[in-house]
PDB file of all heavy atoms in Angstrom:
ATOM      1  N   PHE A  22     108.398 113.959  93.526  1.00 98.00           N
ATOM      2  CA  PHE A  22     109.822 113.756  93.679  1.00 98.00           C
ATOM      3  C   PHE A  22     110.379 114.785  94.649  1.00 98.00           C
ATOM      4  O   PHE A  22     109.856 115.843  94.802  1.00 98.00           O
ATOM      5  CB  PHE A  22     110.496 113.873  92.304  1.00 98.00           C
ATOM      6  CG  PHE A  22     110.056 112.855  91.311  1.00 98.00           C
ATOM      7  CD1 PHE A  22     109.230 113.184  90.255  1.00 98.00           C
ATOM      8  CD2 PHE A  22     110.486 111.532  91.382  1.00 98.00           C
ATOM      9  CE1 PHE A  22     108.823 112.275  89.311  1.00 98.00           C
ATOM     10  CE2 PHE A  22     110.079 110.599  90.458  1.00 98.00           C
ATOM     11  CZ  PHE A  22     109.283 110.954  89.426  1.00 98.00           C
ATOM     12  N   THR A  23     111.485 114.388  95.257  1.00 98.00           N
ATOM     13  CA  THR A  23     112.132 115.319  96.189  1.00 98.00           C
ATOM     14  C   THR A  23     113.163 116.170  95.502  1.00 98.00           C
ATOM     15  O   THR A  23     113.893 116.936  96.119  1.00 98.00           O
ATOM     16  CB  THR A  23     112.831 114.498  97.295  1.00 98.00           C
ATOM     17  OG1 THR A  23     113.794 113.599  96.683  1.00 98.00           O
ATOM     18  CG2 THR A  23     111.833 113.709  98.112  1.00 98.00           C
ATOM     19  N   ILE A  24     113.284 116.043  94.166  1.00 97.00           N
ATOM     20  CA  ILE A  24     114.192 116.861  93.353  1.00 97.00           C
ATOM     21  C   ILE A  24     113.374 117.719  92.414  1.00 97.00           C
ATOM     22  O   ILE A  24     112.220 117.354  92.096  1.00 97.00           O
ATOM     23  CB  ILE A  24     115.179 116.017  92.562  1.00 97.00           C
ATOM     24  CG1 ILE A  24     114.495 114.923  91.719  1.00 97.00           C
ATOM     25  CG2 ILE A  24     116.210 115.362  93.524  1.00 97.00           C
ATOM     26  CD1 ILE A  24     115.388 114.119  90.862  1.00 97.00           C
ATOM     27  N   PRO A  25     113.909 118.840  91.958  1.00 97.00           N
ATOM     28  CA  PRO A  25     113.119 119.706  91.046  1.00 97.00           C
ATOM     29  C   PRO A  25     112.816 118.970  89.732  1.00 97.00           C
ATOM     30  O   PRO A  25     113.637 118.204  89.214  1.00 97.00           O
ATOM     31  CB  PRO A  25     114.038 120.887  90.818  1.00 97.00           C
ATOM     32  CG  PRO A  25     115.035 120.857  91.915  1.00 97.00           C
ATOM     33  CD  PRO A  25     115.198 119.449  92.273  1.00 97.00           C
ATOM     34  N   VAL A  26     111.644 119.251  89.144  1.00 97.00           N
ATOM     35  CA  VAL A  26     111.238 118.720  87.857  1.00 97.00           C
ATOM     36  C   VAL A  26     110.988 119.861  86.908  1.00 97.00           C
ATOM     37  O   VAL A  26     110.238 120.769  87.205  1.00 97.00           O
ATOM     38  CB  VAL A  26     109.969 117.852  87.983  1.00 97.00           C
ATOM     39  CG1 VAL A  26     109.516 117.386  86.578  1.00 97.00           C
ATOM     40  CG2 VAL A  26     110.174 116.678  88.929  1.00 97.00           C
ATOM     41  N   VAL A  27     111.694 119.828  85.754  1.00 97.00           N
ATOM     42  CA  VAL A  27     111.505 120.860  84.765  1.00 97.00           C
ATOM     43  C   VAL A  27     110.875 120.236  83.534  1.00 97.00           C
ATOM     44  O   VAL A  27     111.422 119.287  82.933  1.00 97.00           O
ATOM     45  CB  VAL A  27     112.882 121.478  84.346  1.00 97.00           C
ATOM     46  CG1 VAL A  27     112.731 122.517  83.226  1.00 97.00           C
ATOM     47  CG2 VAL A  27     113.583 122.034  85.583  1.00 97.00           C
ATOM     48  N   ASN A  28     109.706 120.781  83.134  1.00 96.00           N
ATOM     49  CA  ASN A  28     108.918 120.202  82.021  1.00 96.00           C
ATOM     50  C   ASN A  28     109.335 120.965  80.745  1.00 96.00           C
ATOM     51  O   ASN A  28     108.904 122.103  80.550  1.00 96.00           O
ATOM     52  CB  ASN A  28     107.450 120.365  82.284  1.00 96.00           C
ATOM     53  CG  ASN A  28     106.586 119.729  81.161  1.00 96.00           C
ATOM     54  OD1 ASN A  28     107.119 119.053  80.255  1.00 96.00           O
ATOM     55  ND2 ASN A  28     105.314 119.954  81.223  1.00 96.00           N
ATOM     56  N   ARG A  29     110.077 120.323  79.870  1.00 95.00           N
ATOM     57  CA  ARG A  29     110.505 120.945  78.645  1.00 95.00           C
ATOM     58  C   ARG A  29     109.673 120.513  77.472  1.00 95.00           C
ATOM     59  O   ARG A  29     109.993 120.867  76.312  1.00 95.00           O
ATOM     60  CB  ARG A  29     111.974 120.579  78.363  1.00 95.00           C
ATOM     61  CG  ARG A  29     112.975 121.023  79.417  1.00 95.00           C
ATOM     62  CD  ARG A  29     113.297 122.501  79.293  1.00 95.00           C
ATOM     63  NE  ARG A  29     113.975 122.770  78.020  1.00 95.00           N
ATOM     64  CZ  ARG A  29     114.278 123.958  77.601  1.00 95.00           C
ATOM     65  NH1 ARG A  29     113.993 125.030  78.322  1.00 95.00           N
ATOM     66  NH2 ARG A  29     114.878 124.123  76.400  1.00 95.00           N
ATOM     67  N   ALA A  30     108.606 119.763  77.668  1.00 95.00           N
ATOM     68  CA  ALA A  30     107.773 119.248  76.550  1.00 95.00           C
ATOM     69  C   ALA A  30     107.139 120.397  75.803  1.00 95.00           C
ATOM     70  O   ALA A  30     106.796 121.444  76.338  1.00 95.00           O
ATOM     71  CB  ALA A  30     106.715 118.332  77.128  1.00 95.00           C
ATOM     72  N   ARG A  31     106.959 120.182  74.498  1.00 93.00           N
ATOM     73  CA  ARG A  31     106.363 121.156  73.620  1.00 93.00           C
ATOM     74  C   ARG A  31     105.242 120.457  72.844  1.00 93.00           C
ATOM     75  O   ARG A  31     105.493 119.508  72.098  1.00 93.00           O
ATOM     76  CB  ARG A  31     107.380 121.791  72.717  1.00 93.00           C
ATOM     77  CG  ARG A  31     106.834 122.923  71.830  1.00 93.00           C
ATOM     78  CD  ARG A  31     107.936 123.508  70.989  1.00 93.00           C
ATOM     79  NE  ARG A  31     107.441 124.563  70.101  1.00 93.00           N
ATOM     80  CZ  ARG A  31     107.413 125.835  70.445  1.00 93.00           C
ATOM     81  NH1 ARG A  31     107.812 126.233  71.659  1.00 93.00           N
ATOM     82  NH2 ARG A  31     106.935 126.748  69.587  1.00 93.00           N
ATOM     83  N   SER A  32     104.017 120.983  72.954  1.00 94.00           N
ATOM     84  CA  SER A  32     102.875 120.350  72.292  1.00 94.00           C
ATOM     85  C   SER A  32     103.082 120.310  70.805  1.00 94.00           C
ATOM     86  O   SER A  32     103.546 121.217  70.176  1.00 94.00           O
ATOM     87  CB  SER A  32     101.622 121.177  72.644  1.00 94.00           C
ATOM     88  OG  SER A  32     100.482 120.531  72.107  1.00 94.00           O
ATOM     89  N   GLY A  33     102.717 119.139  70.221  1.00 94.00           N
ATOM     90  CA  GLY A  33     102.764 118.987  68.786  1.00 94.00           C
ATOM     91  C   GLY A  33     104.096 118.497  68.219  1.00 94.00           C
ATOM     92  O   GLY A  33     104.258 118.346  67.012  1.00 94.00           O
ATOM     93  N   SER A  34     105.093 118.244  69.121  1.00 96.00           N
ATOM     94  CA  SER A  34     106.374 117.846  68.652  1.00 96.00           C
ATOM     95  C   SER A  34     106.444 116.315  68.384  1.00 96.00           C
ATOM     96  O   SER A  34     105.762 115.541  69.057  1.00 96.00           O
ATOM     97  CB  SER A  34     107.459 118.178  69.714  1.00 96.00           C
ATOM     98  OG  SER A  34     107.594 119.581  69.818  1.00 96.00           O
ATOM     99  N   SER A  35     107.308 115.985  67.475  1.00 98.00           N
ATOM    100  CA  SER A  35     107.669 114.565  67.244  1.00 98.00           C
ATOM    101  C   SER A  35     109.140 114.411  67.543  1.00 98.00           C
ATOM    102  O   SER A  35     109.835 115.428  67.796  1.00 98.00           O
ATOM    103  CB  SER A  35     107.412 114.195  65.796  1.00 98.00           C
ATOM    104  OG  SER A  35     108.267 114.904  64.874  1.00 98.00           O
ATOM    105  N   ALA A  36     109.633 113.201  67.533  1.00 98.00           N
ATOM    106  CA  ALA A  36     111.046 112.984  67.724  1.00 98.00           C
ATOM    107  C   ALA A  36     111.860 113.729  66.670  1.00 98.00           C
ATOM    108  O   ALA A  36     112.880 114.391  66.955  1.00 98.00           O
ATOM    109  CB  ALA A  36     111.432 111.485  67.739  1.00 98.00           C
ATOM    110  N   ARG A  37     111.372 113.665  65.456  1.00 98.00           N
ATOM    111  CA  ARG A  37     112.014 114.357  64.322  1.00 98.00           C
ATOM    112  C   ARG A  37     112.041 115.843  64.485  1.00 98.00           C
ATOM    113  O   ARG A  37     113.070 116.543  64.377  1.00 98.00           O
ATOM    114  CB  ARG A  37     111.283 113.953  63.024  1.00 98.00           C
ATOM    115  CG  ARG A  37     111.695 114.767  61.775  1.00 98.00           C
ATOM    116  CD  ARG A  37     110.753 114.363  60.639  1.00 98.00           C
ATOM    117  NE  ARG A  37     110.892 115.277  59.493  1.00 98.00           N
ATOM    118  CZ  ARG A  37     110.070 115.259  58.435  1.00 98.00           C
ATOM    119  NH1 ARG A  37     109.083 114.373  58.378  1.00 98.00           N
ATOM    120  NH2 ARG A  37     110.214 116.165  57.464  1.00 98.00           N
ATOM    121  N   SER A  38     110.879 116.447  64.734  1.00 98.00           N
ATOM    122  CA  SER A  38     110.806 117.888  64.865  1.00 98.00           C
ATOM    123  C   SER A  38     111.476 118.404  66.106  1.00 98.00           C
ATOM    124  O   SER A  38     111.968 119.514  66.135  1.00 98.00           O
ATOM    125  CB  SER A  38     109.372 118.380  64.807  1.00 98.00           C
ATOM    126  OG  SER A  38     108.606 118.024  65.971  1.00 98.00           O
ATOM    127  N   TRP A  39     111.480 117.631  67.156  1.00 97.00           N
ATOM    128  CA  TRP A  39     112.146 118.036  68.416  1.00 97.00           C
ATOM    129  C   TRP A  39     113.602 118.266  68.214  1.00 97.00           C
ATOM    130  O   TRP A  39     114.205 119.211  68.725  1.00 97.00           O
ATOM    131  CB  TRP A  39     111.914 116.989  69.475  1.00 97.00           C
ATOM    132  CG  TRP A  39     112.373 117.280  70.829  1.00 97.00           C
ATOM    133  CD1 TRP A  39     113.509 116.782  71.435  1.00 97.00           C
ATOM    134  CD2 TRP A  39     111.809 118.201  71.782  1.00 97.00           C
ATOM    135  NE1 TRP A  39     113.647 117.310  72.707  1.00 97.00           N
ATOM    136  CE2 TRP A  39     112.624 118.182  72.937  1.00 97.00           C
ATOM    137  CE3 TRP A  39     110.691 118.986  71.771  1.00 97.00           C
ATOM    138  CZ2 TRP A  39     112.333 118.971  74.030  1.00 97.00           C
ATOM    139  CZ3 TRP A  39     110.372 119.774  72.870  1.00 97.00           C
ATOM    140  CH2 TRP A  39     111.196 119.786  73.973  1.00 97.00           C
ATOM    141  N   ILE A  40     114.198 117.409  67.362  1.00 98.00           N
ATOM    142  CA  ILE A  40     115.641 117.596  67.038  1.00 98.00           C
ATOM    143  C   ILE A  40     115.831 118.642  65.963  1.00 98.00           C
ATOM    144  O   ILE A  40     116.660 119.561  66.106  1.00 98.00           O
ATOM    145  CB  ILE A  40     116.269 116.249  66.639  1.00 98.00           C
ATOM    146  CG1 ILE A  40     116.355 115.327  67.858  1.00 98.00           C
ATOM    147  CG2 ILE A  40     117.650 116.456  65.995  1.00 98.00           C
ATOM    148  CD1 ILE A  40     116.916 113.934  67.585  1.00 98.00           C
ATOM    149  N   ARG A  41     115.079 118.537  64.893  1.00 98.00           N
ATOM    150  CA  ARG A  41     115.248 119.455  63.783  1.00 98.00           C
ATOM    151  C   ARG A  41     115.024 120.904  64.185  1.00 98.00           C
ATOM    152  O   ARG A  41     115.799 121.822  63.734  1.00 98.00           O
ATOM    153  CB  ARG A  41     114.254 119.108  62.647  1.00 98.00           C
ATOM    154  CG  ARG A  41     114.322 119.998  61.417  1.00 98.00           C
ATOM    155  CD  ARG A  41     113.134 119.808  60.543  1.00 98.00           C
ATOM    156  NE  ARG A  41     111.903 120.266  61.166  1.00 98.00           N
ATOM    157  CZ  ARG A  41     110.736 119.677  60.961  1.00 98.00           C
ATOM    158  NH1 ARG A  41     110.586 118.640  60.160  1.00 98.00           N
ATOM    159  NH2 ARG A  41     109.629 120.134  61.611  1.00 98.00           N
ATOM    160  N   ASP A  42     114.044 121.190  65.011  1.00 97.00           N
ATOM    161  CA  ASP A  42     113.695 122.565  65.323  1.00 97.00           C
ATOM    162  C   ASP A  42     114.455 123.126  66.538  1.00 97.00           C
ATOM    163  O   ASP A  42     114.147 124.193  66.985  1.00 97.00           O
ATOM    164  CB  ASP A  42     112.186 122.674  65.577  1.00 97.00           C
ATOM    165  CG  ASP A  42     111.371 122.316  64.342  1.00 97.00           C
ATOM    166  OD1 ASP A  42     111.935 122.349  63.216  1.00 97.00           O
ATOM    167  OD2 ASP A  42     110.165 121.999  64.481  1.00 97.00           O
ATOM    168  N   GLY A  43     115.402 122.345  67.030  1.00 97.00           N
ATOM    169  CA  GLY A  43     116.300 122.891  68.047  1.00 97.00           C
ATOM    170  C   GLY A  43     115.875 122.699  69.479  1.00 97.00           C
ATOM    171  O   GLY A  43     116.628 123.147  70.399  1.00 97.00           O
ATOM    172  N   PHE A  44     114.729 122.091  69.722  1.00 97.00           N
ATOM    173  CA  PHE A  44     114.244 121.931  71.129  1.00 97.00           C
ATOM    174  C   PHE A  44     115.122 121.015  71.874  1.00 97.00           C
ATOM    175  O   PHE A  44     115.402 121.210  73.085  1.00 97.00           O
ATOM    176  CB  PHE A  44     112.778 121.437  71.128  1.00 97.00           C
ATOM    177  CG  PHE A  44     111.862 122.360  70.381  1.00 97.00           C
ATOM    178  CD1 PHE A  44     111.080 121.893  69.372  1.00 97.00           C
ATOM    179  CD2 PHE A  44     111.791 123.704  70.704  1.00 97.00           C
ATOM    180  CE1 PHE A  44     110.217 122.753  68.665  1.00 97.00           C
ATOM    181  CE2 PHE A  44     110.944 124.584  70.050  1.00 97.00           C
ATOM    182  CZ  PHE A  44     110.178 124.090  69.002  1.00 97.00           C
TER     183      PHE A  44
END
Side-chain angles (χ1 to χ4, degrees):
F22 298 106
T23 58
I24 54 176
V26 176
V27 178
N28 183 10
R29 299 281 298 175
R31 185 178 179 89
S32 184
S34 293
S35 67
R37 170 187 167 189
S38 68
W39 186 254
I40 289 178
R41 180 194 65 213
D42 297 341
F44 302 124

